[in-house]
Amino acid sequence: SFFGMGGNSLSLGGTTDGNTSYLQDGVLNYNLLTKTANLQPTPEGVTAVNVQANGASARYDEPGVVNVVTKGGSNAFHGQAYEYIQNDAFDAKGYFDTQKSQQRYNQFGASVGGPILKNKLQFFFAYDGLRQHSMSTDLELIPTQTMFAGKFGSTVINDPTTGKPFQDNTIPDGRISSFAKGVLAYYPTSNGSYAYGANYYSMQGGKNNYDGYLGRLDYNLRSNDTMYGAYETT
């Protein structure tokens, strides 16, 4: 999780993370540092996914194996395009929201394959893209302006130098260090009571964009022998 790769790992057959081997077209496909899946081809560029949960043969380096097989070209032209959309125009406002949370999620792509030399050389190309710009509700408990002034209501605040409560249960302004005042200046102001233990509401957002490409050439040497070359980036 430190490297942000937790979503690329699987635990198979009761094993722990790091005990699964990932292959693509039979070639090792994992990050050596985190032992998680490395390249993840677009779904439209995959023709099969083979999973062995346990009991893998000695040719593999782990008991669990995931082997992704990519698509190749053929003697006929084939293509397709798709898009998956999420948008707040179709959503209701959340219970604690003062405004509707922004949701922009567009996952789209296309693929095409066909012959270059019939029965000899075929090509395949796939593209996958994501554009995600979303915002969500964040509820927090933060110090109030009264607390910033050293007043904590019924909570007893003891003077660390005497061990006795401060007079009127209030920390004198002169006992609040300039460093603490400097830090408190960066705190937002409480803006209401939204739920138990939450007095601050805000909208937090982020972006997640990527583009993935897969190109492949297949060459038929003879009836029982073929070779291919592929280039992929995600």
Side-chain angles (χ1 to χ4, degrees), residues 9 28 39 55 77 91 100 132 134 162 174 233:
S9 64
L28 286 178
L39 294 174
F77 287 100
D91 299 339
K100 189 182 292 187
Q132 182 180 13
S134 302
T162 65
T233 178

Side-chain angles (χ1 to χ4, degrees), residues 35-46:
K35 198 61 182 291
T36 54
N38 193 14
L39 294 174
Q40 298 185 66
T42 167
E44 299 305 320
V46 174

Side-chain angles (χ1 to χ4, degrees), residues 24 40 53 61 65 101 106 110 119 123 128 150 201 203 208 224:
Q24 183 164 316
Q40 298 185 66
D61 60 345
V65 181
S101 299
N106 297 78
N119 298 322
F123 78 95
D128 184 37
Y201 167 96
M203 299 292 290
N208 181 21
N224 293 324

Side-chain angles (χ1 to χ4, degrees), residues 105-181:
Y105 186 99
N106 297 78
Q107 186 173 9
F108 48 90
S111 63
V112 62
I116 297 176
L117 297 174
K118 192 172 183 179
N119 298 322
K120 274 292 184 182
L121 183 64
Q122 294 91 27
F123 78 95
F124 178 81
F125 175 80
Y127 164 77
D128 184 37
L130 174 67
R131 301 294 181 269
Q132 182 180 13
H133 302 171
S134 302
M135 300 188 73
S136 60
T137 300
D138 183 37
L139 297 177
E140 301 289 347
L141 176 63
I142 64 173
T144 63
Q145 292 300 307
T146 302
M147 293 177 179
F148 289 170
K151 300 177 182 179
F152 289 82
S154 60
T155 303
V156 177
I157 304 298
N158 293 321
D159 186 338
T161 61
T162 65
K164 297 179 179 181
F166 283 108
Q167 185 178 357
D168 299 327
N169 203 34
T170 300
I171 302 174
D173 183 72
R175 297 291 299 277
I176 301 176
S177 70
S178 58
F179 175 80
K181 291 179 180 179

Side-chain angles (χ1 to χ4, degrees), residues 207-222:
K207 296 182 179 181
N208 181 21
N209 300 333
Y210 76 77
D211 297 284
Y213 303 89
L214 170 65
R216 172 169 169 160
L217 291 174
D218 291 86
Y219 184 69
N220 298 316
L221 296 171
R222 52 186 70 89

